[in-house]
């Protein structure tokens, strides 16, 4: 089946270095009150996972964007803690989950219901919840403990963008993604960048391609819908970057699940959330150098990409994508796969000439043009000087010699009568030769030092050698003595 749109090679490489796994958990401190015989207080501490998902870095100093559902779960950790403390203390079977339950014992059931939030004057439990958010940037080696994140902004709905902040742990900052300006009507082919686990070289970001139909609509093609539903059901796609496959920039985030259908929150809302958090998205020096390396790497100029990738690692030695590409470039540099080592294909001119350089043909053409000019100029001069004498008759052989511009020497030619300088001859005063025509006995140009013996072609006026039977320029037969 032919491709209806481009899927550029390496189109997501600008984005993947900025991938982040986001996990949130709650620490609950709960106190259960039992006043049946005497007042007792049972204190327990629990940690519970709330949500996890994906995200991406938008500034080198550690600002991360994800979905609000990842850091502000609809699951209430106080319910989880109430189920656990009640089951442990009263020795009853209650699932350790986030659902409200009932038990068969009426008295204990009343106490259990009073243990669930919200807290009232008759509550039998008091709980305090502290939520912790941890971010795992795509680095190599990975950060086992991740980076603790501060919540700067959350949205009014689970699919709205949330803005986090971590310490980038590096003077040059974290790799970032190129953030688009608008999810335009031309966006059709997209990629979802998800992380099911904390990323590493063995667990890089996963990329799934889908298509909008119509373009820019945020509605998926019918054949892509099951794939998107499956991603949402897996849970870790919440907050995943939506990448424009053509421009290689983030144009939204994926959210939804549960009662909410898969939703693409557009980049315009991401930028609004960043403004609310007082953040301006920007790229860092690590990103600039890395994108320069990508230009050589994806053109298969592996040798040229090596020093640039090394420069990336000098700024951020745990840049996971640069590490992998440097390894590949070093293994392919100088081999047949390196484009710099491949011989350029010969030009059509070289193929037709059997390997002779095109410059030879160009030079030959110039010589032929020059020769043509050298022939054409005397012919034109002859035509200008042509025609009959004053009475319209033919010129005599003695008057057929002409002035030629090649070779460029001063020439004097004398006709048959009065050709010797010792025999002066003056034409009659009433006979003026036509313009450009030598009168009988009038001095004519000829090479200095030669007298009368020099012959000229009667057709084109070019000088002839003594033994020439034909003119070398026009081919006219020379008059034999």
């Amino acid at each position: 089946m032919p491709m209806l749109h481009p899927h550029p090679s390496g189109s997501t490489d600008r984005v993947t270095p900025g991938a982040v796994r986001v996990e949130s958990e709650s620490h609950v401190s709960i106190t259960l009150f039992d006043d049946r015989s005497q007042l007792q207080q049972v204190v327990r501490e629990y940690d519970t996972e709330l949500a996890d998902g994906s995200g991406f870095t938008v500034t080198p100093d550690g600002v991360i964007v994800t979905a609000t559902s990842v850091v502000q779960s609809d699951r209430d950790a106080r319910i989880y803690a109430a189920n656990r403390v009640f089951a442990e203390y009263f020795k009853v079977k209650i699932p350790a989950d986030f659902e409200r339950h009932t038990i068969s014992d009426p008295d204990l059931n009343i106490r259990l219901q009073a243990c669930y939030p919200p807290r009232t004057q008759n509550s039998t439990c008091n709980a305090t919840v502290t939520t912790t958010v941890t971010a795992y940037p795509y680095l190599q080696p990975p950060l086992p403990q991740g980076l603790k994140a501060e919540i700067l902004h959350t949205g009014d709905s689970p699919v709205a963008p949330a803005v986090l902040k971590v310490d980038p742990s590096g003077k040059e900052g974290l790799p970032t993604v190129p953030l688009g300006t608008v999810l335009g009507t031309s966006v059709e082919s997209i990629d979802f960048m998800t992380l099911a686990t904390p990323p590493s070289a063995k667990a890089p970001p996963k990329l799934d391609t889908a298509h909008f139909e119509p373009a820019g609509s945020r509605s998926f093609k019918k054949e892509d819908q099951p794939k998107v539903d499956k991603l949402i059901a897996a849970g870790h796609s919440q907050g995943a970057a939506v990448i424009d496959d053509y421009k290689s920039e983030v144009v939204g985030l994926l959210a939804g699940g549960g009662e909410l259908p898969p939703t693409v929150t557009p980049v315009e809302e991401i930028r609004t959330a960043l403004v609310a958090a007082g953040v301006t998205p920007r790229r860092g020096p690590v990103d600039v150098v890395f994108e320069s390396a990508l230009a050589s790497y994806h053109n298969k100029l592996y040798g040229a990409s090596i020093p640039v990738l090394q420069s990336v690692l000098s700024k951020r030695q745990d840049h996971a994508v640069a590490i992998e590409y440097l390894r590949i470039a070093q293994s392919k540099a100088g081999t047949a796969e390196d484009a710099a080592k491949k011989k350029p294909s010969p030009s059509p001119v070289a193929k037709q000439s059997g390997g002779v350089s095109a410059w030879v043909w160009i030079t030959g053409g110039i010589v032929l043009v020059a020769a043509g000019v050298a022939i054409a100029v005397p012919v034109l001069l002859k035509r200008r000087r042509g025609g009959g004498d004053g009475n319209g008759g033919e010129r005599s052989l003695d008057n057929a010699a002409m002035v030629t511009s090649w070779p460029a020497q001063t020439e004097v030619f004398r006709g048959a009568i009065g050709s010797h300088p010792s025999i002066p001859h003056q034409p009659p005063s009433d006979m003026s030769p036509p313009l450009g025509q030598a009168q009988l006995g009038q001095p004519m140009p000829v090479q200095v030092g030669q007298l009368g013996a020099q012959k000229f072609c009667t057709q084109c006026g070019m000088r002839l050698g003594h033994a020439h039977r034909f003119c070398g320029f026009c081919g006219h037969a020379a008059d034999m003595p």
Side-chain angles (χ1 to χ4, degrees):
M1 181 176 179
M3 295 175 63
L4 301 179
H5 49 262
H7 287 265
S9 175
S11 66
T12 59
D13 284 351
R14 299 176 65 212
V15 183
T16 51
V20 180
R21 161 84 171 179
V22 181
E23 297 179 355
S24 62
E25 64 176 14
S26 292
H27 178 80
V28 186
S29 176
I30 188 169
T31 302
L32 172 64
F33 302 101
D34 180 10
D35 59 353
R36 291 177 301 174
S37 57
Q38 59 181 5
L39 181 61
Q40 296 187 44
Q41 297 183 22
V42 181
V43 180
R44 294 288 188 272
E45 304 281 337
Y46 302 110
D47 291 315
T48 177
E49 295 181 356
L50 286 181
D52 60 71
S54 305
F56 45 91
T57 308
V58 294
T59 66
D61 60 352
V63 175
I64 296 170
V65 174
T66 186
T68 294
S69 60
V70 177
V71 297
Q72 200 174 71
S73 176
D74 56 354
R75 298 188 297 180
D76 195 333
R78 296 174 298 175
I79 296 177
Y80 170 84
N83 289 334
R84 289 201 56 181
V85 70
F86 214 87
E88 292 171 5
Y89 180 74
F90 290 106
K91 308 301 181 184
V92 292
K93 292 183 179 181
I94 302 176
D97 57 18
F98 296 87
E99 302 293 331
R100 297 173 184 264
H101 300 280
T102 59
I103 54 179
S104 58
D105 187 314
D107 180 62
L108 290 180
N109 186 58
I110 292 174
R111 293 178 178 276
L112 175 60
Q113 302 308 314
C115 189
Y116 290 136
R119 180 174 171 77
T120 65
Q121 293 181 346
N122 298 321
S123 293
T124 57
C125 293
N126 182 28
T128 303
V129 180
T130 303
T131 300
T132 302
V133 179
T134 306
Y136 297 87
Y138 182 26
L139 302 173
Q140 183 61 32
L143 302 176
Q145 306 302 320
L147 300 173
K148 299 303 178 186
E150 173 189 2
I151 301 176
L152 300 182
H153 174 80
T154 56
D156 296 331
S157 69
V159 300
V163 182
L164 316 177
K165 177 71 169 63
V166 299
D167 182 353
S169 68
K171 66 177 183 178
E172 299 291 353
L174 291 171
T176 69
V177 303
L179 188 65
T181 304
V182 61
L183 200 166
T185 56
S186 63
V187 178
E188 179 184 4
S189 175
I190 58 173
D191 295 287
F192 301 120
M193 183 174 67
T194 58
L195 286 165
T197 61
S200 66
K202 295 183 178 180
K206 185 175 182 290
L207 296 163
D208 293 277
T209 302
H211 306 82
F212 289 140
E213 190 176 51
S217 65
R218 291 186 279 158
S219 297
F220 302 106
K221 282 188 175 181
K222 184 177 180 180
E223 55 267 32
D224 289 334
Q225 191 65 54
K227 179 195 303 184
V228 180
D229 292 338
K230 186 177 180 180
L231 282 174
I232 290 293
H236 51 260
S237 61
Q238 298 288 325
V242 178
I243 306 168
D244 179 355
D245 204 12
Y246 183 72
K247 291 186 177 181
S248 186
E249 62 184 19
V250 176
V251 293
L253 61 83
L254 181 64
E259 298 180 356
L260 296 174
T263 302
V264 172
T265 301
V267 67
E268 295 91 325
E269 294 187 26
I270 294 175
R271 288 187 171 273
T272 299
L274 291 171
V275 171
V279 174
T280 301
R282 60 186 176 88
R283 311 209 69 195
V286 175
D287 307 306
V288 174
V289 181
F290 177 67
E291 290 197 5
S292 177
L294 286 179
S296 296
Y297 181 86
H298 283 303
N299 284 316
K300 297 185 178 181
L301 297 170
Y302 297 113
S305 68
I306 289 175
V308 191
L309 289 168
Q310 290 172 335
S311 179
V312 175
L313 296 176
S314 70
K315 298 179 180 297
R316 186 85 203 190
Q317 63 182 1
D318 52 2
H319 194 294
V321 183
I323 292 173
E324 177 63 11
Y325 283 1
L326 178 60
R327 181 189 66 80
I328 296 173
Q330 289 174 333
S331 67
K332 294 185 177 182
T335 68
E337 295 185 64
D338 194 332
K341 297 297 180 182
K342 295 180 180 179
K343 295 182 180 179
S345 59
S347 65
V349 174
K351 290 180 180 179
Q352 294 175 6
S353 62
V356 179
S357 171
W359 288 106
V360 174
W361 294 95
I362 295 173
T363 304
I366 294 174
V367 172
L368 290 175
V369 171
V373 171
I375 294 173
V377 169
V379 173
L380 292 175
L381 288 175
K382 179 188 175 192
R383 290 179 178 176
R384 290 181 59 187
R385 297 171 180 174
D389 54 19
N391 298 323
E394 293 292 334
R395 288 188 303 172
S396 66
L397 179 61
D398 293 331
N399 294 330
M402 300 177 61
V403 176
T404 176
S405 60
W406 181 88
Q409 298 163 333
T410 303
E411 300 181 351
V412 177
F413 175 77
R414 299 182 186 275
I417 301 176
S419 61
H420 197 279
S422 62
I423 306 176
H425 177 80
Q426 296 294 335
S429 59
D430 59 345
M431 296 179 63
S432 299
L435 182 62
Q437 177 179 335
Q439 187 179 355
L440 183 65
Q442 185 72 14
M444 293 292 289
V446 74
Q447 189 170 359
V448 176
Q450 296 184 359
L451 297 175
Q454 179 68 57
K455 295 193 300 181
F456 294 85
C457 175
T458 60
Q459 179 69 22
C460 68
M462 296 305 294
R463 191 168 49 200
L464 300 175
H466 292 292
H468 286 177
R469 300 181 62 187
F470 296 93
C471 177
F473 285 91
C474 69
H476 189 267
D479 292 333
M480 302 300 293

